[in-house]
Amino acid sequence: MRKMSDMRKDSGGSRDEIIPIVNRNNIVSSNDPTGDTDICSSCASIFLTIISIILMVCTFPFSMFFCIKVIQEYERAVIFRLGRVKKGGAVGPGLFFIIPCIDQCNIVDLRTVSFDVPPQEILTKDSVTVSVDAVVYYNIRAPMAAVCNVADYSKSTKLLSATTLRNILGTKTLSELLADRENIAQGLKAMIDTATDPWGIDIERVEVKDVRLPQNLQRAMAAEAEAYQRS
């Protein structure tokens, strides 16, 4: 490696100095506590795991009733070990083992679930108040996301469906609402499916069940239809 004095001579006695470029990403602070925290956490996890295994051995065979879990073909289990998701993702179906005291098991049902959206009072684009209800069919596509990304995926999906129903139908006229239910259902499905995708939920189908008109509007429409038939 050449010395700095030799480099100055080669440059004709120029006083320009060569300043090395330092990448800040490569600078590691000696006071950074992250590494120490990870080491302490790993040591504590290993210690608690060893203690739990010793307790399992001492209480054998009674401990087997708490260690062996069986889930159905349509179920998956997401296991948290000391608060962290166990490596390998969701397990199942069939037989699997957990370590009591340090493992928490959350079971997710993968079958299609349906629920009714309660009747929503909606003001249409042409200022008509109607009551509309719907039914939604969905299933869990990603158990890990359904457990880790949302606190209550079932309740959240129901509330989101009701809100989306009001938002979509509020942009339609009464005639569109009565005559174009299929396209409206497809639009509802697309919007709800996009919003629930980070939760690992797949919306299979959305159907608008009933559109209830006000009594005075029903009488007016009936009188208009009767007058049209007489003419």
Side-chain angles (χ1 to χ4, degrees):
M1 190 174 186
R2 300 177 62 188
K3 295 182 179 180
M4 188 64 68
S5 59
D6 297 336
M7 296 178 65
R8 287 184 178 179
K9 291 179 181 179
D10 294 342
S11 61
S14 174
R15 294 180 177 270
D16 296 337
E17 297 181 358
I18 299 175
I19 301 176
I21 299 176
V22 179
N23 188 0
R24 293 183 178 181
N25 295 329
N26 296 331
I27 299 177
V28 179
S29 175
S30 58
N31 296 325
D32 187 9
T34 305
D36 296 337
T37 304
D38 292 339
I39 294 174
C40 294
S41 177
S42 299
C43 293
S45 300
I46 294 173
F47 175 75
L48 292 175
T49 303
I50 293 174
I51 295 298
S52 299
I53 293 174
I54 293 174
L55 291 175
M56 287 172 52
V57 174
C58 293
T59 57
F60 184 84
F62 300 103
S63 60
M64 289 294 99
F65 292 100
F66 302 96
C67 297
I68 299 176
K69 299 291 183 180
V70 179
I71 57 177
Q72 303 297 327
E73 182 69 30
Y74 51 83
E75 294 176 331
R76 297 295 183 270
V78 179
I79 301 175
F80 292 88
R81 176 161 295 174
L82 295 175
R84 295 188 177 185
V85 178
K86 187 179 177 181
K87 293 181 180 179
V91 298
L95 182 72
F96 63 94
F97 295 88
I98 64 172
I99 302 177
C101 302
I102 66 173
D103 284 352
Q104 178 184 357
C105 183
N106 294 339
I107 298 177
V108 179
D109 195 328
L110 303 184
R111 292 177 294 181
T112 298
V113 179
S114 64
F115 64 87
D116 291 325
V117 179
Q120 304 293 314
E121 295 290 336
I122 298 170
L123 183 65
T124 62
K125 191 176 181 180
D126 49 355
S127 301
V128 178
T129 302
V130 295
S131 178
V132 183
D133 57 355
V135 59
V136 179
Y137 299 86
Y138 74 94
N139 60 45
I140 304 296
R141 172 177 43 82
M144 293 286 293
V147 173
C148 298
N149 292 351
V150 61
D152 189 343
Y153 61 84
S154 178
K155 182 179 179 181
S156 300
T157 304
K158 292 179 181 179
L159 295 176
L160 179 65
S161 300
T163 304
T164 306
L165 180 66
R166 291 195 299 267
N167 292 339
I168 291 292
L169 298 186
T171 62
K172 305 293 182 181
T173 62
L174 180 60
S175 58
E176 292 174 345
L177 185 58
L178 295 175
D180 200 16
R181 290 191 183 186
E182 185 175 352
N183 290 334
I184 292 175
Q186 291 295 327
L188 287 170
K189 176 183 179 301
M191 288 195 66
I192 300 173
D193 196 18
T194 302
T196 57
D197 186 66
W199 303 342
I201 293 176
D202 182 27
I203 304 297
E204 295 183 357
R205 191 178 182 87
V206 178
E207 291 291 342
V208 178
K209 291 176 57 179
D210 192 16
V211 179
R212 300 183 181 89
L213 303 177
Q215 293 294 330
N216 56 354
L217 182 59
Q218 292 182 18
R219 289 193 293 266
M221 293 177 66
E224 182 180 357
E226 184 178 358
Y228 178 77
Q229 290 177 357
R230 290 179 179 179
S231 63

